[in-house]
Amino acid sequence: DVQLQASGGGLVQTGGSLRLSCIHPTFEFDNYAVGWFRQAPGKGREGIACISTGDDKLYYADSVKGRFTISRDNAKNTVYLQMDNLKPEDTAVYYCAAAYHFCTVTGDGMAYWGKGTQVTVSS
């Protein structure tokens, strides 16, 4: 069973940056739509960014638009989430997931998931 690995989380101050990585040694990310999701304590899962398969179109939730950037490096079997100008409300566990055709807003129906990585933004 394929399990993606999300890493790069940590503790950062407001306004800081982090880069998350979604990695799998043999998973061909370019054949899938890949999304980043997050879940804060007491809240539902939120889709925040997606890179489509084929044309690499990018999609962002309004809450992160202009601050976060999703990208993929096929040679390294990695999808990144660059997070800049972080805010305390970005504090959550972040997950990456892959789908055969397209990302979903809530993550329902995504085919493959990774274990999350904690991001904590202090005020």
Side-chain angles (χ1 to χ4, degrees), residues 70-105:
I70 186 172
S71 62
R72 67 165 108 224
D73 186 333
N74 295 329
K76 295 183 178 179
N77 288 346
T78 304
V79 173
Y80 300 102
L81 184 69
Q82 177 67 40
M83 306 188 297
D84 298 316
N85 192 20
L86 283 160
K87 304 176 181 180
E89 51 264 43
D90 295 319
T91 295
V93 179
Y94 284 70
Y95 302 87
C96 61
Y100 293 108
H101 301 294
F102 51 83
C103 297
T104 59
V105 174

Side-chain angles (χ1 to χ4, degrees), residues 13-94:
Q13 291 185 333
T14 297
S17 297
L18 286 171
R19 187 176 77 161
L20 305 184
S21 299
C22 180
I23 301 171
H24 189 281
T26 60
F27 192 80
E28 296 180 342
F29 283 100
D30 53 336
N31 290 334
Y32 297 85
V34 182
W36 284 95
F37 302 82
R38 68 185 181 186
Q39 188 161 20
K43 295 188 177 181
R45 188 168 56 202
E46 176 189 14
I48 56 172
C50 178
I51 182 166
S52 66
T53 183
D55 54 7
D56 277 5
K57 284 187 177 178
L58 308 179
Y59 303 90
Y60 298 98
D62 288 342
S63 57
V64 305
K65 198 172 293 182
R67 301 187 298 121
F68 290 11
T69 304
I70 186 172
S71 62
R72 67 165 108 224
D73 186 333
N74 295 329
K76 295 183 178 179
N77 288 346
T78 304
V79 173
Y80 300 102
L81 184 69
Q82 177 67 40
M83 306 188 297
D84 298 316
N85 192 20
L86 283 160
K87 304 176 181 180
E89 51 264 43
D90 295 319
T91 295
V93 179
Y94 284 70

